[in-house]
Amino acid sequence: MKKNVTRKDVAKMADVSEATVSYVINNTKNITPEVKQRVLDAIKALDYHPNLLAKSLVTKETKHIAMLVDNIQNPHYGRILRGVQHVAEEKGYIVSILSANYSSKAAMFELISRGVDGVILAVGSHTKDYSDLSLPMAMENSTLGISYRQAIFDMIETFHGLGHRRIAFLSGIPLEHPSHPRLHDLQDAMGCYRMDACPGLFINGTGVTDENAGYEATDRLLARGEVFTGIFAINDLMAIGAMKRLWEAGLKVPDDVSVAGCDGISNTAYTIPPLSTIQSHAFTLGSLLMHQLLAEMHPERELPPARQTIQAEFIRRESIGKASRGNLPHHAQPIFSQKQNER
């Protein structure tokens, strides 16, 4: 049985005190490069792993953070997580991920009682208030986040140029949600091109934004009997669900209905036809959120990320084509071009 290596063993091999070993491990004091290297060499030679539990009792840090997401099955959040972990690992942190769809606030308090240093909130479609968790948090806000506006205007310009005038929107989250920027940007873009923002084409949601939600929303859309030639879903999973329901209804994409999603998850390149989407650059967002959390946890030594808006990008693929002639209402021209006017 392998003997447990202790800090005392490291100190003996490096010919230093145990306190010096602690200073090197915790980076709490300036140690001469020669002494520091001896300690690091001894740690490597002995395969020493510090007792993180004991360390946390002294430093009051667990080096453990939690990330709360809308839907743990959505690859979009996996990309945010990779960005978070990329920075967290460099700083010596581990990350636990929880799904807001299945985690109550009581579960969050339980996690905190077991010891986490901070929380990253990626829960845009949920209305729960987590401000009373009483620990450092990072989330999208006025200084850090993704802007979908230009990408949505580019998407609507593409739809319009192909003859589409009536686009349905699968909201996923409640249309009256106080923070629904994609809805407001879509309405502005449709107004710019004088496209019909008919209330009957906007399908309300409950906060669930998976494939089944997209399937059911499309089923409700078809049941309304409204004329439409295109669908924009709040995320790619709902768009994939919409494509399945359209196929079951005998409608071809894009011959009968064009479809676009949002988030740019990798799956969208492999649907049939490949799904047009809005690339959100989620990895970059995750990296910035982790930097933001580090600044919240250690304001004395970590600088917050500079004000940054990540610009999403529209990616057109084969799921968008010319509008079906049989379903087109009167012709309309754009009021002005988004590309020619600053917003």
Side-chain angles (χ1 to χ4, degrees):
M1 183 176 179
K2 183 179 177 180
K3 175 181 177 295
N4 285 334
V5 179
T6 67
R7 192 164 299 186
K8 184 177 181 179
D9 297 325
V10 175
K12 184 177 179 180
M13 176 175 279
D15 193 23
V16 297
S17 68
E18 289 184 50
T20 299
V21 175
S22 296
Y23 297 150
V24 172
I25 291 172
N26 298 319
N27 196 28
T28 52
K29 277 194 177 182
N30 289 327
I31 306 296
T32 65
E34 187 271 332
V35 171
K36 182 176 182 180
Q37 191 58 53
R38 288 211 318 264
V39 172
L40 293 176
D41 290 343
I43 289 172
K44 183 176 180 180
L46 294 171
D47 193 24
Y48 172 66
H49 299 281
N51 185 327
L52 295 180
L53 179 59
K55 180 181 176 182
S56 69
L57 294 175
V58 176
T59 64
K60 307 302 181 183
E61 285 185 301
T62 63
K63 291 291 185 177
H64 180 194
I65 66 165
M67 177 176 160
L68 189 66
V69 304
D70 277 343
N71 178 3
I72 202 168
Q73 295 176 309
N74 188 340
H76 170 69
Y77 295 107
R79 291 163 61 215
I80 295 178
L81 176 62
R82 289 199 297 274
V84 170
Q85 286 184 316
H86 177 73
V87 177
E89 289 178 4
E90 289 180 351
K91 300 290 186 176
Y93 286 84
I94 61 171
V95 184
S96 292
I97 186 168
L98 294 89
S99 174
N101 287 346
Y102 304 104
S103 298
S104 63
K105 288 186 71 173
M108 284 297 296
F109 280 113
E110 173 68 17
L111 179 67
I112 292 164
S113 70
R114 294 170 185 258
V116 294
D117 296 332
V119 175
I120 291 176
L121 297 177
V123 288
S125 68
H126 284 264
T127 57
K128 294 177 185 176
D129 180 12
Y130 294 94
S131 60
D132 55 350
L133 293 179
S134 301
L135 79 171
M137 293 186 188
M139 67 193 80
E140 289 190 68
N141 54 34
S142 59
T143 64
L144 173 63
I146 301 170
S147 173
Y148 295 94
R149 187 173 181 82
Q150 182 64 56
I152 288 175
F153 267 82
D154 290 343
M155 176 190 69
I156 291 300
E157 181 181 41
T158 297
F159 271 119
H160 184 274
L162 291 168
H164 296 271
R165 301 294 180 267
R166 290 172 63 86
I167 305 297
F169 178 52
L170 310 186
S171 176
I173 65 178
L175 289 168
E176 64 275 9
H177 194 288
S179 177
H180 202 330
R182 272 171 264 188
L183 169 63
H184 304 314
D185 291 341
L186 178 65
Q187 290 173 323
D188 287 348
M190 294 179 75
C192 168
Y193 286 94
R194 289 182 176 172
M195 295 170 73
D196 191 353
C198 171
L201 296 177
F202 285 63
I203 308 301
N204 211 347
T206 61
V208 180
T209 56
D210 58 13
E211 297 94 334
N212 189 62
Y215 180 97
E216 292 182 349
T218 306
D219 186 64
R220 284 187 283 138
L221 174 64
L222 293 170
R224 291 182 180 181
E226 294 278 358
V227 173
F228 66 96
T229 60
I231 289 176
F232 172 51
I234 193 173
N235 69 10
D236 291 330
L237 295 186
M238 288 194 68
I240 291 170
M243 290 170 70
K244 184 175 190 298
R245 183 64 188 93
L246 292 170
W247 176 76
E248 289 182 354
L251 297 170
K252 295 181 180 179
V253 176
D255 295 352
D256 299 310
V257 180
S258 292
V259 180
C262 188
D263 287 341
I265 64 176
S266 59
N267 313 46
T268 56
Y270 299 94
T271 57
I272 301 176
L275 179 65
S276 297
T277 184
I278 291 176
Q279 175 59 259
S280 61
H281 302 294
F283 180 92
T284 301
L285 175 63
S287 300
L288 292 171
L289 285 171
M290 186 60 203
H291 281 297
Q292 184 188 81
L293 183 61
L294 287 168
E296 288 288 327
M297 294 189 298
H298 306 292
E300 73 285 354
R301 67 173 188 258
E302 298 281 352
L303 292 175
R307 180 185 179 94
Q308 183 165 347
T309 300
I310 302 166
Q311 296 295 334
E313 299 175 74
F314 174 59
I315 300 173
R316 181 188 170 185
R317 297 196 182 112
E318 289 88 336
S319 68
I320 293 182
K322 290 184 178 181
S324 172
R325 293 293 178 186
N327 290 329
L328 282 180
H330 65 276
H331 182 70
Q333 292 294 329
I335 299 173
F336 53 85
S337 172
Q338 162 71 359
K339 292 183 176 179
Q340 295 173 351
N341 294 272
E342 292 184 359
R343 297 193 175 276

